[in-house]
Amino acid sequence: MQPFVFQSANDPSAAMQALAASGGNNVTEAPVQALAGGTTLIDLMKLDVMRPSTVIDINPLSGAWSQINLEGENLRLGAMARMADVAAHPEIQKAYPVVADSLKLAASAQLRNMATLGGNVLQRTRCTYFRDISYGNCNKRNPGSGCAAMEGVNRMHAVLGTSDQCIATYAGDFAQSLIALDGTVEIIGKSGTRSIAFAQLHRQPGNSPQIETTLAPGELISGFMIPGRWPRSVYLKARDRQSYEFALASAAVALDMQNGVVRDARLALGGVATVPWRAREAEGLLKEQKFDDALAERVADAAFAGATPRHHNAFKIALGKRVVARALYQAATMEV
């Protein structure tokens, strides 16, 4: 780990002013980084992947930014709320089980006690070639150097949303529930507060995989909003071991059903894409249809229609389809 200056921000304006000095939104090279739970940043600093000269502790902001509020039919989550607190909230477990499940199935209990929601959605890829600096050719870490994963060991890598510059998988779970439920992100910056659809937060790799989000220099996520309530919802995660492991394939499903007919449906995929992935065309097949196993299989096929597998990760397509079909069945048969 490189030497760095540690500062504490006691109000949002101080944090934004300090972070704005980083210039640009290349999060790997930015000289100033915000510290919340630290469960990603400290890890990457130890690996020498991220080398900030200044770390700004934003935990003093947690009082105002850690609240959990159910406002009528909407849910608002502060960006500094801890994953464990949100997962254990009884009203979230009842009205948004997909949110609670996506948090419970992430990381370990110790990490969930520390990690914040805002930091979680901004976590970096677990790609070995990104996290091991002995590999020089990583476009996320060294733009223009190439992507070692293309012809390397790519079992954990993405089959959706890839480009010829990067196939690194987005690692998070919570983000899948947010994008499935049409969540929005509240962002605070020097120009004030703005809200965007969560689906607009992350950028597919394209020709600039090192730029991962649409956040401007100095901006911080202050909260998330989820409209409506989705008691018939599920997050299903397939992984190599039962706990503390990232998804090989996952699905966030939310259904609105009446008399066995799907009135509305939401579907997002994890573990298989470069960004949180909403399968809109696939979920459209469910609407106004009588749910059965055959329909679930058609939806699963559609969800992976645009997949581009590599040598070691082709299995993710078949696995992902099974995860989607099972998640749909579990959601459709829930007692709500």
Side-chain angles (χ1 to χ4, degrees), residues 45-274:
M45 289 173 65
K46 288 179 178 179
L47 294 171
D48 213 23
V49 173
M50 298 182 74
R51 306 174 183 178
S53 57
T54 303
V55 173
I56 306 297
D57 180 14
I58 61 172
N59 280 287
L61 309 179
S62 61
W65 288 6
S66 62
Q67 296 182 357
I68 302 170
N69 296 315
L70 276 81
E71 303 168 353
E73 290 298 306
N74 300 321
L75 171 64
R76 188 185 185 283
L77 300 169
M80 295 290 289
R82 306 291 166 171
M83 292 172 63
D85 293 335
V86 178
H89 196 287
E91 287 300 312
I92 293 176
Q93 292 178 352
K94 180 179 179 180
Y96 307 92
V98 65
V99 172
D101 290 347
S102 70
L103 292 167
K104 284 187 221 175
L105 293 173
S108 64
Q110 295 92 333
L111 288 175
R112 293 194 298 270
N113 285 335
M114 287 293 297
T116 63
L117 299 186
N120 182 259
V121 300
L122 297 176
Q123 68 179 286
R124 312 300 300 280
T125 181
R126 310 304 291 191
C127 172
T128 301
Y129 301 103
F130 169 75
R131 294 170 64 86
D132 187 341
I133 62 172
S134 67
Y135 293 99
N137 48 339
C138 171
N139 285 323
K140 276 188 180 293
R141 187 164 29 82
N142 299 317
S145 63
C147 176
M150 294 287 187
E151 303 302 328
V153 179
N154 45 45
R155 178 176 180 269
M156 296 297 293
H157 287 70
V159 297
L160 292 167
T162 60
S163 75
D164 61 359
Q165 300 293 308
C166 183
I167 58 172
T169 306
Y170 176 80
D173 297 296
F174 173 55
Q176 280 32 276
S177 65
L178 284 174
I179 199 169
L181 301 184
D182 282 330
T184 58
V185 187
E186 181 184 273
I187 300 167
I188 185 168
K190 292 185 295 182
S191 301
T193 302
R194 65 186 179 103
S195 293
I196 62 172
F198 184 77
Q200 297 173 355
L201 179 63
H202 294 87
R203 292 169 47 122
Q204 292 186 38
N207 292 322
S208 301
Q210 79 277 11
I211 303 176
E212 297 181 343
T213 75
T214 58
L215 293 176
E219 287 189 324
L220 289 167
I221 296 175
S222 56
F224 305 93
M225 181 74 76
I226 296 176
R229 297 197 176 202
W230 292 89
R232 187 182 295 279
S233 60
V234 167
Y235 184 73
L236 184 63
K237 180 177 180 179
R239 46 191 171 173
D240 283 327
R241 59 186 180 187
Q242 186 61 29
S243 66
Y244 194 25
E245 186 58 276
F246 295 91
L248 293 171
S250 65
V253 171
L255 301 177
D256 178 8
M257 297 182 65
Q258 186 173 16
N259 299 323
V261 175
V262 180
R263 298 192 302 181
D264 196 4
R266 309 290 174 83
L267 173 61
L269 309 178
V272 295
T274 55

